[in-house]
Amino acid sequence: MIIGIGSDITDARRVAEVLERHGERFLDRVFTPIERAKSDRRARRAESYAKRFAAKEACAKALGTGLAQGVFWRDMGVVNLPSGRPTMELTGGARARLDAITPAGYEARIDLTITDDGPLAQAFVIISAVPKAQGA
């Protein structure tokens, strides 16, 4: 069952301006070390950060809180599964919120799709509750 849906669109030019103006302060506040390592290797660095920014906004919306109620930017990180499929790894307040909205006997699954077509980056997040595997 779907327990949350969120979407966002971000202008990479705006992210580039913030990177230029605030640099490390912005990066440290918003992005996880994994996200930073991945984005800093990209030729189109601002676009990579824009996709991750959009994913965080979409995830916060899917959690039903936005960036409030203890949910912070770095509590949500874009990671890739071994298959390469992107998803979100949640910690801190975002993880607590996810646990609170996941019904008993279920576990949460976060599906994420991100794309960009310069200068726009877009993300969709769907949080589903799936029955826990027997013996888990």
Side-chain angles (χ1 to χ4, degrees):
M1 82 182 80
I2 293 174
I3 56 177
I5 297 174
S7 68
D8 192 68
I9 190 164
T10 299
D11 190 325
R13 294 171 295 195
R14 197 170 132 232
V15 171
E17 289 172 9
V18 173
L19 283 169
E20 181 69 29
R21 197 169 349 141
H22 299 288
E24 288 297 313
R25 195 168 112 222
F26 169 66
L27 294 174
D28 286 341
R29 180 172 177 242
V30 176
F31 299 99
T32 67
I34 291 170
E35 291 173 311
R36 291 188 63 181
K38 191 157 200 154
S39 291
D40 286 342
R41 289 193 308 262
R42 302 281 190 231
R44 293 173 39 194
R45 183 173 178 247
E47 288 85 350
S48 181
Y49 277 119
K51 286 192 290 188
R52 284 156 180 75
F53 189 89
K56 290 169 183 284
E57 287 275 11
C59 185
K61 292 171 186 175
L63 289 169
T65 60
L67 289 156
Q69 300 178 33
V71 175
F72 299 100
W73 292 109
R74 287 185 42 171
D75 289 345
M76 302 170 285
V78 177
V79 296
N80 293 90
L81 298 175
S83 66
R85 180 173 71 91
T87 189
M88 301 295 295
E89 184 175 286
L90 305 186
T91 60
R95 183 70 202 179
R97 175 65 181 163
L98 180 65
D99 292 344
I101 65 173
T102 304
Y106 288 80
E107 59 189 12
R109 182 181 74 208
I110 302 175
D111 291 301
L112 165 66
T113 182
I114 51 178
T115 190
D116 67 292
D117 188 7
L120 301 177
Q122 186 174 34
F124 290 95
V125 170
I126 299 174
I127 303 174
S128 302
V130 295
K132 284 186 179 178
Q134 292 294 334

